Amino acid sequence: MQRCFTLTLARHSRLLLRNKFASVRCHQSAAMSSLLINQPQYSWLKELGLSEDNLGVYNGSWGGSGEVVTSYCPANNEPIARVTQATMAEYEATVQKAREAWKVWADIPAPKRGEIVRQIGDALRKKITTLGSLVSLEMGKIFVEGVGEVQEYVDVCDYAVGLSRMIGGPILPSERPGHALLEQWNPVGLVGIITAFNFPVAVYGWNNAIAMTCGNVCLWKGAPTTPLTSVAVTKIVAEVLEQNNLPGAICSLTCGGADIGTAMAKDEHVDLLSFTGSTHVGKLVAMMVQERFGHLNLVVPSAVFASVGTAAVEQYLAAIEQAKQQGGTVVCGGKVMDRPGNYVEPTIITGLPHDSPIVHTETFVPILYVLKFKTEEEAFAWNNEVKQGLSSSIFTKDMGRVFRWMGPKGSDCGIVNVNIPTSGAEIGGAFGGEKHTGGGRESGSDSWKQYMRRSTCTINYSKDLPLAQGIKFE
């Protein structure tokens, strides 16, 4: 009787366990099916090598055992897929592998490095529509701008290919006979790249293509809210490196939050840190890098939020309320749109004094403050009195005003436009701002110099040993 009862209990236990595991599998299946990546209309995400769960560390091989984050689409607040971020141990291991990879990469002639960058550009071209769609889905910008971001990376790759045959310093006339004086440019080593959510592809592309051409290796930490884009881009780049039998750690990735960003800022093994993000975080990063006498390329175009979701909507409403309290009148827009997702109306506000606190606050939301001025000097002064200094523009047919606007008493921004909007910039010119916008430059012009160290070299090919300035020790 006891034996019979035991067998019955055992069968009942196995039945309960089977039911429990079936229930768990059912819940897991439901959770997976709720991800956008598993819905038929988003099956194209898998063409980028993405899946329900993605590893967020790459240093020649894929890994990641840190916090698991879910990426959400800001258009509808639905989950897209998950990414496992880096632990501190994985970050440190990735830095070590990147520095080992630099020993290989630095020995490759610059034109050959340019050829690899060209291949990266071609690989991005092949997936430009799909990758642009991912940017739109994960970041929230419209599709054509998502594609435009990828195109910008492609264009910078093309630019970097030409640059690979032009890097060099001048040969200077020496005051000493039998001497040659010249400048030699060499890569700094490991370039850390921290990018913001609002441009999850282009900003990395500016840095990556130029830094690689200059002979550096890169370590990327993208925004925590756009990790799928970081993973997808890295997969494309990694494939090119693999096809050329090059170490994958040349272009490493460590997805993560503030802990990884802080580690990069404090890490003496990171020879140059390029940071794009908020002014507040930029100040903290600058102090950490300066404390170790590191090199920093700081571009802080705006008070970037951690998400384009509900937090940004709340900031939008708060800014409108502050503007009203300070004497402003909403003449257009001003409302949250009644639809799924995080949509608001573009807003125009008038009646505010030029020195209103809200006018001087960069809220990073679609609000335009219209101010009336009486003189050119007044308008120029109002443009320059704010702490931000990225981009500015005037519309005029007066050629004198055009050159005054671009001159020493004109706009103090890093980007100064005439008869075009303030948004957008061509890759041939250096991108960056002044004042609280950081002062760093990326992309074109001579921005490549920031990714290199300069040595002034003197070669004595005479039989004498003369000193400069005619100094003689008697």
Side-chain angles (χ1 to χ4, degrees):
M1 184 69 180
Q2 178 64 36
R3 181 175 178 273
C4 181
F5 172 76
T6 303
L7 288 172
T8 303
L9 182 60
R11 289 194 196 99
H12 183 62
S13 298
R14 286 197 296 271
L15 180 62
L16 286 173
L17 287 172
R18 282 198 297 269
N19 287 340
K20 178 181 179 181
F21 291 142
S23 176
V24 169
R25 285 195 296 269
C26 182
H27 285 302
Q28 289 176 338
S29 178
M32 289 171 62
S33 64
S34 67
L35 297 173
L36 293 184
I37 195 170
N38 289 317
Q39 298 181 16
Q41 62 268 42
Y42 297 106
S43 60
W44 50 266
L45 287 167
K46 297 178 181 179
E47 296 174 17
L48 294 169
L50 300 175
S51 58
E52 296 96 347
D53 291 285
N54 303 273
L55 297 174
V57 178
Y58 180 73
N59 51 31
S61 60
W62 286 94
S65 57
E67 180 185 359
V68 177
V69 296
T70 301
S71 177
Y72 290 86
C73 170
N76 53 28
N77 292 325
E78 294 186 20
I80 306 171
R82 293 178 289 265
V83 175
T84 304
Q85 298 185 136
T87 63
M88 286 308 303
E90 288 165 339
Y91 162 79
E92 291 168 0
T94 299
V95 168
Q96 183 60 38
K97 288 187 177 181
R99 292 183 66 83
E100 288 297 318
W102 179 78
K103 297 177 182 178
V104 176
W105 186 242
D107 280 341
I108 296 175
K112 297 296 184 182
R113 297 195 297 258
E115 166 59 19
I116 302 301
V117 173
R118 184 195 66 78
Q119 292 180 33
I120 291 173
D122 284 348
L124 290 164
R125 277 188 182 94
K126 294 176 183 177
K127 296 188 177 180
I128 190 168
T129 301
T130 312
L131 190 54
S133 297
L134 172 59
V135 173
S136 177
L137 180 70
E138 187 176 39
M139 183 269 154
K141 61 178 57 178
I142 60 175
F143 169 71
V144 291
E145 288 198 14
V147 172
E149 266 209 62
V150 185
Q151 184 64 55
E152 195 158 355
Y153 192 172
V154 171
D155 291 344
V156 175
C157 285
D158 289 344
Y159 177 88
V161 174
L163 178 65
S164 69
R165 293 183 180 273
M166 298 173 64
I167 293 174
I171 297 178
L172 305 167
S174 174
E175 66 181 65
R176 289 171 283 184
H179 285 61
L181 184 64
L182 55 92
E183 289 184 355
Q184 174 72 29
W185 293 84
N186 289 302
V188 295
L190 173 57
V191 175
I193 305 170
I194 300 177
T195 59
F197 84 97
N198 57 331
F199 284 94
V201 173
V203 174
Y204 175 67
W206 298 339
N207 285 276
N208 173 254
I210 304 297
M212 286 184 69
T213 298
C214 290
N216 302 290
V217 295
C218 300
L219 172 59
W220 183 19
K221 189 197 90 68
T225 52
T226 54
L228 295 174
T229 300
S230 300
V231 170
V233 169
T234 300
K235 283 181 178 290
I236 293 172
V237 175
E239 186 175 356
V240 173
L241 295 174
E242 182 179 342
Q243 290 170 351
N244 286 274
N245 297 314
L246 289 167
I250 290 172
C251 294
S252 299
L253 172 71
T254 50
C255 291
D259 56 337
I260 299 297
T262 298
M264 293 173 72
K266 292 183 176 181
D267 195 341
E268 293 187 353
H269 294 111
V270 177
D271 301 288
L272 167 69
L273 182 64
S274 174
F275 172 85
T276 304
S278 70
T279 302
H280 171 69
V281 177
K283 288 181 179 179
L284 299 176
V285 169
M287 288 188 288
M288 287 185 280
V289 175
Q290 179 59 40
E291 188 174 5
R292 63 178 176 88
F293 289 98
H295 297 284
L296 176 66
N297 187 17
L298 188 64
V299 178
V300 284
S302 51
V304 179
F305 288 102
S307 168
V308 294
T310 56
V313 173
E314 291 171 2
Q315 185 68 21
Y316 166 84
L317 293 172
I320 292 174
E321 186 59 33
Q322 290 176 50
K324 289 179 180 178
Q325 292 174 1
Q326 294 169 27
T329 300
V330 177
V331 296
C332 179
K335 299 183 182 66
V336 177
M337 299 175 70
D338 185 16
R339 57 175 293 182
N342 304 285
Y343 293 89
V344 299
E345 296 176 341
T347 301
I348 298 176
I349 297 177
T350 62
L352 285 167
H354 68 92
D355 55 356
S356 301
I358 191 63
V359 173
H360 284 235
T361 302
E362 197 165 28
T363 52
F364 210 60
V365 292
I367 298 177
L368 175 67
Y369 304 110
V370 178
L371 311 176
K372 291 184 179 180
F373 63 92
K374 294 180 180 179
T375 66
E376 174 187 295
E377 291 76 15
E378 190 175 51
F380 288 9
W382 293 357
N383 176 80
N384 296 345
E385 70 182 3
V386 299
K387 294 180 179 179
Q388 298 79 22
L390 178 60
S391 184
S392 58
S393 181
I394 63 167
F395 285 77
T396 182
K397 294 182 179 179
D398 185 332
M399 291 307 297
R401 180 168 294 155
V402 168
F403 286 98
R404 288 191 295 273
W405 173 245
M406 297 189 300
K409 295 182 180 179
S411 172
D412 63 359
C413 292
I415 299 174
V416 181
N417 297 323
V418 177
N419 297 335
I420 61 171
T422 57
S423 60
E426 296 187 23
I427 62 133
F431 180 88
E434 297 296 332
K435 299 184 293 188
H436 283 207
T437 309
R441 294 295 187 272
E442 296 172 334
S443 192
S445 186
D446 64 348
S447 296
W448 61 270
K449 292 181 178 179
Q450 297 184 97
Y451 302 93
M452 307 195 82
R453 56 179 177 82
R454 171 167 48 184
S455 302
T456 300
C457 305
T458 305
I459 303 171
N460 180 5
Y461 56 90
S462 72
K463 295 181 179 180
D464 300 318
L465 196 62
L467 300 175
Q469 290 82 48
I471 297 175
K472 295 182 179 181
F473 295 108
E474 300 295 344

